[in-house]
Amino acid sequence: MKALVLSGGSGTRLRPLTHTSAKQLVPVANKPILFYVLEGIAEAGVTEVGIIVGDTAPEIRAAVGDGSAFGLTVTYIPQERPLGLAHAVRIARDWLGDDDFVMYLGDNFLVGGIADQLADFRDTTPDAQIMLTRVSNPSAFGVAELDDEGRVVALEEKPAFPKSDLALVGVYFFTPAIHEAVNAIAPSARGELEITDAIQWLIDHDARVRSSVVTGYWKDTGNATDMLEVNRTVLDRLDPRCEGTVDEESELVGRVVIEPGATVSRSRIVGPAIIGRGTRIEGSYIGPFTSVADHCTIADSEIEYSIVLTGATIDGVRRIEASMIGRDVAVTPAPRTPQAHRLILGDHSKVQIRS
């Protein structure tokens, strides 16, 4: 059994953060989303991992290395352009060989990992197994249609008129039968080789395609709102610890993690929250569901329900909420300029100004 992890793509929905970094490396609770994926694969007992990489390959390689930190052996598979999930399977054909494999999208977050689903796949031995979850906006996902007995009868990618609210979670289990399918399909109207079309090809050719409905927490972390929600979920599971320095004028309330080298002075931190290594918090309030990465400075400011990335500075800002602050960003007060109205009015004008 192998694992194919997709870490290409341009991350357009997370721009501008992803103009300079891979979307899979944007952190949740100070750890990249991709690391949660790799840890889940290792916990399921899969050790051989192929990572599909694109323009951000150097950054992914630098972060993951050879995979030994996760108990994995990692092979990098370059993809010149993101041409669809089925295209990723096609270009990984030589590395996959004739092994069964799990395909996992590197920006998906799934609580509980994949061990149970993998065991179910091995026990029932279908040609393909998909995971589904009910969503309120199925048009944004691949959607499955089931018959009365729960069997998959049709799949459609981002349909304008969805036939169900069951969206495909970004984790798929395949036997080598999928290779014939991805070679048989043509690009969709979007110009991509869709994995939904490949699975539909299997269904149309009488292959066994099973599904299970995920009842636990899952998110496609494609935009800032979802990133903040996943951050909240992970922080809510924190075990409090303090390995940095907190002065007597400061207060830590609830599940708060202070990493080594961090300093907190004259501040109040209400958990769940995490403060990264070497970060300085001074005269500030850090509210619930906030993660502050390494080597940041927050002084005379208030922030909550936010993600602050490495090296950022927030100084003298009264209140920040529901925000993502990028690497090495500086947030400071605007200059206090006189407030005035400048008007050029014609004859007989009538103007109402709120004073």
Side-chain angles (χ1 to χ4, degrees):
M1 188 80 185
K2 293 179 178 178
L4 186 65
V5 176
L6 276 60
S7 292
S10 55
T12 55
R13 291 180 294 161
L14 273 173
R15 287 177 180 170
L17 291 174
T18 51
H19 275 308
T20 55
S21 65
K23 64 178 179 178
Q24 297 83 7
L25 296 182
V26 176
V28 165
N30 288 0
K31 183 164 67 175
I33 283 286
L34 179 59
F35 286 14
Y36 293 97
V37 171
L38 296 175
E39 289 169 355
I41 289 169
E43 288 168 3
V46 180
T47 58
E48 291 186 75
V49 177
I51 301 183
I52 301 290
V53 291
D55 293 342
T56 58
E59 190 179 7
I60 299 289
R61 287 176 180 267
V64 177
D66 63 1
S68 58
F70 305 91
L72 304 171
T73 301
V74 168
T75 299
Y76 294 96
I77 303 167
Q79 184 183 36
E80 291 185 5
R81 288 189 299 152
L83 296 175
L85 305 188
H87 180 260
V89 175
R90 183 180 287 186
I91 65 173
R93 178 69 177 93
D94 290 343
W95 178 80
L96 289 167
D98 292 326
D99 292 314
D100 294 346
F101 66 99
V102 54
M103 184 170 73
Y104 205 136
L105 306 193
D107 58 356
N108 273 228
F109 185 84
L110 182 65
V111 169
I114 61 170
D116 291 343
Q117 291 83 3
L118 177 56
D120 186 44
F121 174 71
R122 283 173 163 164
D123 289 343
T124 56
T125 64
D127 295 293
Q129 182 169 306
I130 60 176
M131 296 169 61
L132 307 173
T133 190
R134 298 191 182 279
V135 296
S136 59
N137 55 334
S139 292
F141 301 92
V143 175
E145 183 182 357
L146 309 182
D147 64 15
D148 292 339
E149 297 180 3
R151 292 174 298 198
V152 183
V153 296
L155 298 173
E156 191 174 4
E157 186 66 28
K158 296 180 173 61
F161 303 100
K163 295 181 180 178
S164 83
D165 62 352
L166 291 170
L168 276 75
V169 171
V171 181
Y172 310 79
F173 299 90
F174 295 121
T175 65
I178 192 65
H179 297 303
E180 183 179 3
V182 299
N183 286 329
I185 63 173
S188 66
R190 301 193 305 159
E192 297 187 359
L193 291 173
E194 311 285 2
I195 198 65
T196 45
D197 289 344
I199 299 171
Q200 184 65 52
W201 188 94
L202 290 176
I203 294 170
D204 293 342
H205 288 77
D206 298 322
R208 291 182 60 227
V209 177
R210 296 185 70 253
S211 70
S212 61
V213 177
V214 176
T215 56
Y217 187 85
W218 166 80
K219 274 287 183 183
D220 170 8
T221 59
N223 58 50
T225 299
D226 289 337
M227 287 294 300
L228 291 170
E229 173 63 18
V230 172
N231 193 60
R232 182 196 66 79
T233 300
V234 176
L235 289 177
D236 217 15
R237 292 166 168 76
L238 281 182
D239 292 322
R241 56 184 169 85
C242 181
E243 299 179 82
T245 302
V246 180
D247 73 0
E248 294 181 353
E249 297 181 67
S250 298
E251 182 182 17
L252 306 183
V253 180
R255 294 186 299 279
V256 175
V257 171
I258 309 294
E259 297 283 12
T263 59
V264 179
S265 60
R266 299 181 295 105
S267 299
R268 188 168 191 257
I269 302 178
V270 178
I274 183 169
I275 309 300
R277 295 172 180 266
T279 283
R280 178 172 65 91
I281 309 294
E282 180 179 317
S284 296
Y285 168 77
I286 310 297
F289 308 119
T290 301
S291 60
V292 183
D294 299 346
H295 307 297
C296 295
T297 297
I298 300 181
D300 301 319
S301 300
E302 300 179 3
I303 185 170
E304 71 174 54
Y305 191 59
S306 295
I307 297 173
V308 182
L309 274 62
T310 302
T313 297
I314 301 172
D315 191 350
V317 181
R318 289 190 59 186
R319 190 73 172 181
I320 296 174
E321 293 181 353
S323 300
M324 293 185 68
I325 311 297
R327 295 170 179 83
D328 300 314
V329 165
V331 183
T332 58
R336 294 176 179 249
T337 56
Q339 293 185 359
H341 302 285
R342 182 173 182 268
L343 307 174
I344 301 175
L345 302 175
D347 295 345
H348 311 295
S349 296
K350 291 184 180 180
V351 179
Q352 293 181 330
I353 296 176
R354 186 186 299 271
S355 58

